[in-house]
Amino acid sequence: EQLDVPCVVVDRDVAASMRVSRVLYDHQAGVSAAVGHLLDLGHRRIDLILGSPVRPSRERRIGFESEFVRRGLAKSYRIIEAGEFAAESGERAVAELLDGADPPTAIVVGSNQMVPGAVQALAARDVELPGDLSLVGCDDLILAELYRPPIAVVKSDNAEVGRLTAELL
């Protein structure tokens, strides 16, 4: 609030009193579309793994839950707030979901940093993608493209966000 220079914040909430511009990703629409696709494939036990409670996680949660509401489906999912955006968090969360009662048939991992850990937990349990379980990551990551078949991801247009940020600045 003390800065007297132009400032642009990317994908974060800021106090209304701060004089900054913001560029925001539409996390709700992407995750809602991913969940809709999984539901169209016949999945009914779809779980969500989130990182720390920053704007992207909150928005992804809203998009995830809204798709179930929009379709009039009962809350038949679990949401794990893993805390850190790290592979270890993704691995722990997937292990918790798969080792618990009524494991999911699909998982949405709300952070590209957590996907490698999620894949490790699946491999440790001999779970094959997509035959045994469907997995969707958020944001681009090379692992998703290298995995065979590729892991589905909710893509973000980082180049466009960078262009808009530079324009605003």
Side-chain angles (χ1 to χ4, degrees):
E1 289 185 57
Q2 304 301 318
L3 290 177
D4 192 29
V5 295
C7 185
V8 180
V9 177
V10 178
D11 213 26
R12 291 294 182 260
D13 292 323
V14 294
S17 61
M18 294 182 71
R19 294 182 1 223
V20 299
S21 296
R22 295 189 310 158
V23 178
L24 305 173
Y25 288 92
D26 188 356
H27 300 289
Q28 285 185 31
V31 170
S32 181
V35 171
H37 179 69
L38 291 168
L39 290 168
D40 290 345
L41 290 174
H43 292 282
R44 290 300 177 264
R45 284 287 303 124
I46 305 168
D47 293 342
L48 174 66
I49 300 170
L50 296 171
S52 61
V54 293
R55 180 184 185 279
S57 292
R58 289 192 308 272
E59 294 294 309
R60 288 172 177 151
R61 180 184 191 126
I62 292 168
F64 182 90
E65 293 177 322
S66 70
E67 190 61 23
F68 284 89
V69 170
R70 189 180 77 74
R71 292 176 181 235
L73 297 173
K75 181 181 175 184
S76 60
Y77 54 81
R78 287 170 290 194
I79 297 176
I80 293 183
E81 294 178 357
E84 297 176 354
F85 290 113
E88 297 79 16
S89 298
E91 186 174 7
R92 279 191 309 272
V94 168
E96 180 181 331
L97 292 173
L98 294 181
D99 296 344
D102 196 20
T105 61
I107 299 174
V108 177
V109 181
S111 159
N112 59 358
Q113 296 105 328
M114 291 190 293
V115 170
V119 170
Q120 284 180 313
L122 295 171
R125 287 156 182 78
D126 292 323
V127 174
E128 292 189 24
L129 299 178
D132 298 328
L133 181 125
S134 291
L135 183 71
V136 176
C138 290
D139 304 320
D140 300 331
L141 72 157
I142 192 71
L143 173 64
E145 295 174 25
L146 295 175
Y147 201 87
R148 291 293 171 244
I151 296 170
V153 295
V154 176
K155 288 192 170 232
S156 301
D157 191 345
N158 295 329
E160 177 66 5
V161 167
R163 188 188 66 70
L164 291 171
T165 302
E167 261 181 34
L168 286 170
L169 196 55

